[in-house]
Structures are given as structure tokens and as C-alpha cells.
């Protein structure tokens, strides 16, 4: 059974960079059929797509966050990561990592449990 | 890309049906048959319930069904059960973008 687990600091100061890692177990991140994505959810609000990365390094970013987001992948550790720069209180959210079936079909089928990141001084 | 529009809330009694709409544009919902629906219980991660407009992943009850007409997709939950009370989000492929709906809270009366 595929499992994803987010990890990283729960508190980030304004103007700094938020960094999270997603560790994939029970399957290989190097499958050509899938992308790996990040989604966030501010407290009490809806879901927002952040971006996708393929093990080859190909990326897609949300237009609204593109200037601040960087995704990377480490196939040797079966992990992928998110960096969000110049954070403000508006970036406070639960951040989810998920597997994206992006080959001729498009949906997130496996999700991590989510991790709350608070932006505050 | 703006969020897809869903009603904030919907409700029904046990055994009844509830239908949730999801309105987008020709650039997302109307342009592709790649609408998905996710169920989210409080404090939990979203769970995929429907993909490609009307397909159900293994393990999802057939009480859940999806459809689409033009720029509007719909999720119907038939034979409502207490455990169906949750937030529901639609989503759509939109080329190099991916957009979620605003979310609908379903209450089982």
C-alpha cells in the first residue's frame, strides 16, 4: 500500500522560506506514469493546488504561486520537496503531498496526512 | 485560474439523495472529461471518490455517482448515510493547471 508522509518545520517566520519534504513508501517515486504534487488548505478554507513534479524533474506550478515555488525530487531517497519563499501569514495552511495520476488521466489518488505550517514571528 | 464554484452547503435525511454542483469554464470543466471529486472528513486528508467525471475508484460505494453537462459537473450521493457527512471538493484538469472547487459541506440531517 502506497503511503506518503510530509515532514518539516511547523513554524516559519514571515519573509523566510517554507521547506517541506514528502517521503514515499510502498512504491517507487520513479514510476513514469505518475507525478507527485503539493496541495495546501488554509484553516477553515478550501484546497489549493501548488504544483507537480515528475521523477525526471519536469514541473508544473500554479500560476498564482509560480514566482515563489520550487519543487525538487530525490529518487535515491524516494522523496520530493517543496520550497515556498517570502512567506506571509496567508501561507499558513495544512500542506498535503499526494500522488498524481498524470498519464492520460488526471487526479490525486494517494494523499499524505498533511502537516500544518504556521507563518508567524 | 479561478476556483470552481460549488454551493457552500447541502443536506439530506438518511436514505435520501443529495446532488452537488461544480461550475467552471470551457478552460477547465467544460474543456476536459477530467473532473474529480474528493471527500474530506474533519482533520483528515481528502479521499478520491470520483475521477474522469463518473468513474469510481475501487472501494468507493456505488452510491456515489458523477456526471457533467457543459461547464457544470455534479456529484450525487444516493441513499445518504451518516458517514457521508463531510466536505466535498470537485477539481478539474485545466491544461498545465489544476483547479479545485470551493467546497460543499454535506450534512446528514
Amino acid at each position: 500500500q502506497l503511503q506518503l508522509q510530509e515532514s518539516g518545520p511547523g513554524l516559519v517566520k514571515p519573509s523566510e522560506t517554507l521547506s517541506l519534504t514528502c517521503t514515499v513508501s510502498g512504491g517507487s517515486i520513479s514510476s513514469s506514469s505518475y507525478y507527485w504534487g503539493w496541495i495546501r488548505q488554509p484553516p477553515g478554507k478550501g484546497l489549493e493546488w501548488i504544483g507537480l513534479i515528475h521523477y525526471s524533474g519536469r514541473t508544473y506550478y500554479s500560476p498564482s504561486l509560480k514566482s515563489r515555488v520550487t519543487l525538487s525530487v530525490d529518487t535515491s531517497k524516494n522523496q520530493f520537496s517543496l520550497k515556498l519563499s517570502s512567506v506571509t501569514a496567508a501561507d499558513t495552511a495544512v500542506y498535503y503531498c499526494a500522488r498524481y495520476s498524470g498519464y492520460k488521466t488526471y487526479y490525486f489518488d494517494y494523499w499524505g496526512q498533511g502537516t500544518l505550517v504556521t507563518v508567524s514571528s | 485560474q479561478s476556483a470552481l464554484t460549488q454551493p457552500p452547503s447541502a443536506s439530506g435525511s438518511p436514505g435520501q439523495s443529495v446532488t452537488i454542483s461544480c461550475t467552471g469554464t470551457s478552460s477547465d470543466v467544460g474543456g476536459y472529461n477530467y473532473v474529480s471529486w474528493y471527500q474530506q472528513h474533519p482533520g483528515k486528508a481528502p479521499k478520491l471518490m470520483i475521477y474522469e467525471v463518473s468513474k469510481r475508484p475501487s472501494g468507493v460505494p456505488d452510491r456515489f455517482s458523477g456526471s457533467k453537462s457543459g461547464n457544470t459537473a455534479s456529484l450525487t450521493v444516493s441513499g445518504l448515510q451518516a458517514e457521508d457527512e463531510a466536505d466535498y471538493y470537485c477539481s478539474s484538469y485545466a491544461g498545465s493547471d489544476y483547479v479545485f472547487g470551493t467546497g460543499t459541506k454535506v450534512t446528514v440531517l
Side-chain angles (χ1 to χ4, degrees):
Chain A
Q1 177 77 344
L2 192 73
Q3 292 186 318
L4 295 88
Q5 179 68 59
E6 306 87 353
S7 59
L11 181 63
V12 181
K13 290 182 168 56
S15 80
E16 295 189 343
T17 296
L18 178 160
S19 296
L20 295 175
T21 295
C22 182
T23 300
V24 179
S25 59
S28 174
I29 201 172
S30 300
S31 171
S32 61
S33 299
Y34 301 106
Y35 279 72
W36 305 89
W38 291 93
I39 304 99
R40 71 179 182 178
Q41 184 172 35
K45 297 187 178 182
L47 301 169
E48 180 182 20
W49 174 66
I50 298 172
L52 299 170
I53 187 165
H54 191 256
Y55 84 95
S56 63
R58 184 168 189 174
T59 55
Y60 294 94
Y61 296 132
S62 166
S64 63
L65 296 170
K66 187 174 184 177
S67 63
R68 299 194 292 130
V69 173
T70 302
L71 301 188
S72 60
V73 62
D74 186 337
T75 56
S76 67
K77 295 182 179 179
N78 229 30
Q79 295 176 334
F80 61 105
S81 298
L82 163 71
K83 290 188 183 300
L84 180 65
S85 64
S86 305
V87 298
T88 69
D91 295 309
T92 294
V94 174
Y95 285 77
Y96 295 99
C97 61
R99 188 180 80 170
Y100 183 72
S101 290
Y103 180 69
K104 295 185 178 181
T105 187
Y106 307 94
Y107 52 82
F108 292 99
D109 56 358
Y110 287 91
W111 294 65
Q113 66 185 25
T115 187
L116 175 63
V117 178
T118 301
V119 178
S120 174
S121 56
Chain B
Q1 200 81 9
S2 300
L4 307 176
T5 301
Q6 299 180 233
S9 63
S11 63
S13 299
Q16 291 186 332
S17 295
V18 64
T19 297
I20 305 166
S21 62
C22 169
T23 302
T25 69
S26 58
S27 296
D28 39 61
V29 174
Y32 308 93
N33 287 323
Y34 296 124
V35 175
S36 304
W37 289 90
Y38 301 87
Q39 176 192 67
Q40 186 180 35
H41 287 110
K44 300 295 187 182
K47 174 187 176 183
L48 179 68
M49 304 301 284
I50 295 286
Y51 66 99
E52 291 181 15
V53 177
S54 61
K55 296 180 180 179
R56 281 179 287 104
S58 174
V60 172
D62 59 7
R63 302 184 293 104
F64 292 85
S65 62
S67 63
K68 191 188 87 166
S69 178
N71 295 337
T72 298
S74 298
L75 173 73
T76 297
V77 185
S78 305
L80 267 175
Q81 298 183 5
E83 61 260 36
D84 299 332
E85 185 161 295
D87 293 326
Y88 291 83
Y89 293 91
C90 63
S91 65
S92 176
Y93 174 76
S96 58
D97 200 354
Y98 192 84
V99 61
F100 285 100
T102 50
T104 298
K105 180 176 181 58
V106 170
T107 301
V108 181
L109 302 171

